[in-house]
C-alpha cells in the first residue's frame, strides 16, 4: 500500500504548515503542505465516499481567514477559500461533500 492508503497522523502548527506522519514509526511521510500565513486551527479529511478519482483531499482552516483544500498525494493546494473576514476556528467536511466553517467573524458558512 502507498502511504496515503494507510492510517496516518496529521499535525498543523503556528507556522501554517501541515505534516503527515506514520503513527507506527513516528516518521514524516509525504510533502509538507505549506501556504497558510498564520497558524492552522482546524483540519478535516474529505469523506472517502465523496472522493473522486481516488484523490485524497484535506481541508485546513487558519487564523489567516482562509480555508485551503489540499491534494495530499501531490502535496499541492488545489483551492483557497477566502469568504471569512476573521480567523477560521473550525471546519467540517459533510457526507454530502460540503465544507462547513465557523469563524471569529461570528459566521458559519457552507459550500462546495
Amino acid at each position: 500500500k502507498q502511504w496515503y492508503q494507510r492510517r496516518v497522523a496529521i499535525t498543523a502548527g503556528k507556522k501554517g504548515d501541515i505534516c503527515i506522519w506514520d503513527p507506527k514509526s513516528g516518521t514524516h511521510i509525504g510533502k509538507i503542505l505549506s501556504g497558510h500565513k498564520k497558524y492552522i486551527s482546524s483540519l478535516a479529511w474529505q469523506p472517502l465516499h465523496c472522493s473522486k478519482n481516488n484523490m485524497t483531499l484535506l481541508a485546513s482552516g487558519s487564523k489567516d481567514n482562509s480555508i485551503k483544500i489540499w491534494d495530499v498525494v501531490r502535496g499541492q493546494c488545489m483551492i483557497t477559500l477566502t469568504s471569512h473576514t476573521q480567523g477560521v476556528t473550525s471546519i467540517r467536511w459533510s457526507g454530502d461533500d460540503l465544507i462547513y466553517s465557523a469563524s471569529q467573524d461570528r459566521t458559519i458558512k457552507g459550500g462546495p
Side-chain angles (χ1 to χ4, degrees):
K1 285 185 177 182
Q2 298 293 326
W3 69 263
Y4 51 85
Q5 294 171 320
R6 300 186 315 252
R7 291 182 187 259
V8 296
I10 300 175
T11 59
K14 291 182 179 180
K15 293 181 180 180
D17 294 334
I18 301 167
C19 294
I20 302 170
W21 304 88
D22 180 331
K24 289 184 180 180
S25 67
T27 57
H28 176 262
I29 53 178
K31 294 182 181 179
I32 294 176
L33 307 177
S34 300
H36 283 292
K37 296 180 180 102
K38 293 186 179 179
Y39 74 87
I40 296 168
S41 56
S42 189
L43 298 168
W45 285 108
Q46 180 187 38
L48 287 175
H49 70 276
C50 297
S51 179
K52 297 173 182 76
N53 302 320
N54 294 322
M55 294 181 77
T56 305
L57 301 182
L58 178 72
S60 59
S62 171
K63 293 297 179 179
D64 66 7
N65 309 349
S66 73
I67 297 167
K68 293 186 179 288
I69 310 300
W70 302 91
D71 176 341
V72 298
V73 175
R74 292 187 180 148
Q76 297 176 340
C77 178
M78 296 177 56
I79 190 167
T80 300
L81 307 171
T82 58
S83 62
H84 286 292
T85 59
Q86 292 185 20
V88 176
T89 55
S90 181
I91 54 174
R92 295 292 179 266
W93 212 313
S94 78
D96 296 331
D97 211 19
L98 298 175
I99 297 173
Y100 292 95
S101 60
S103 168
Q104 290 176 317
D105 63 14
R106 299 181 185 174
T107 63
I108 297 173
K109 297 186 178 190

